[in-house]
Amino acid sequence: QVQLVESGGGLVKAGGSLRLSCAASGRTFSSYAMGWFRQAPGKEREFVAAITWSGRTTYYADSVKDRFTISRDNAKNTVYLQMNSLEPEDTAVYYCAADNLIRGPGSRKDHDYDYWGQGTQVTVSS
C-alpha cells in the first residue's frame, strides 16, 4: 500500500509560480511511475504530467508543456510539479498518483494509476 500526500497549493496571481510536492510512503516508491492530474469545478479530471520510475522520461499535457516541470527525488520518496507562468485556466485541485506496475512506462490515463492523494487546491487569479 502506498499513501500519497500533496502539498504546496495556494493562491497565486497569473504569471506566478508554485511548486507542488507529493510525499509517498512505502519502500517501492522508486519503482513506480508517478503522475499529476487536475480537476477544475464542473470538469472531468485531466492529465497534467507523468514521470517514469527512473525519472528519465517525462510526459506533459499540451496545455502545460513548456510551463510545468515534473521531477522526482527517489531518496526522499517525493515527486514535484514546478508550475510557472500560471494562468487562470490552471485553477483546479491537483492530485498526484502512483502506478504500481514495477518499473512501468508511465501513462497519461488516470485508470492506469492505483494510488491517489487527497489533492491540493491551486487557484490562479487574473
Side-chain angles (χ1 to χ4, degrees), residues 63-116:
S63 59
V64 306
K65 197 172 184 179
D66 299 327
R67 297 190 298 123
F68 291 10
T69 302
I70 189 171
S71 61
R72 66 190 298 159
D73 185 339
N74 286 342
K76 295 182 178 180
N77 276 16
T78 302
V79 63
Y80 304 98
L81 185 68
Q82 177 66 44
M83 305 186 295
N84 299 329
S85 302
L86 283 161
E87 303 168 352
E89 294 72 22
D90 296 317
T91 294
V93 177
Y94 283 70
Y95 299 91
C96 72
D99 176 359
N100 71 355
L101 178 65
I102 299 298
R103 299 186 178 183
S107 173
R108 298 171 182 266
K109 301 176 181 179
D110 59 0
H111 63 253
D112 285 332
Y113 291 85
D114 304 281
Y115 304 106
W116 292 82

Side-chain angles (χ1 to χ4, degrees), residues 32-52:
Y32 294 163
M34 300 292 295
W36 285 97
F37 291 77
R38 66 186 182 187
Q39 187 167 20
K43 295 187 177 181
E44 293 188 352
R45 185 166 58 192
E46 65 174 358
F47 170 76
V48 175
I51 188 167
T52 54

Side-chain angles (χ1 to χ4, degrees), residues 8-57:
L11 174 63
V12 64
K13 292 183 178 180
S17 299
L18 283 174
R19 188 175 82 154
L20 305 183
S21 299
C22 174
S25 65
R27 294 176 294 176
T28 51
F29 168 82
S30 61
S31 299
Y32 294 163
M34 300 292 295
W36 285 97
F37 291 77
R38 66 186 182 187
Q39 187 167 20
K43 295 187 177 181
E44 293 188 352
R45 185 166 58 192
E46 65 174 358
F47 170 76
V48 175
I51 188 167
T52 54
W53 64 276
S54 64
R56 293 193 185 101
T57 303

Side-chain angles (χ1 to χ4, degrees), residues 12-14 88 124-126:
V12 64
K13 292 183 178 180
V124 184
S125 63
S126 57

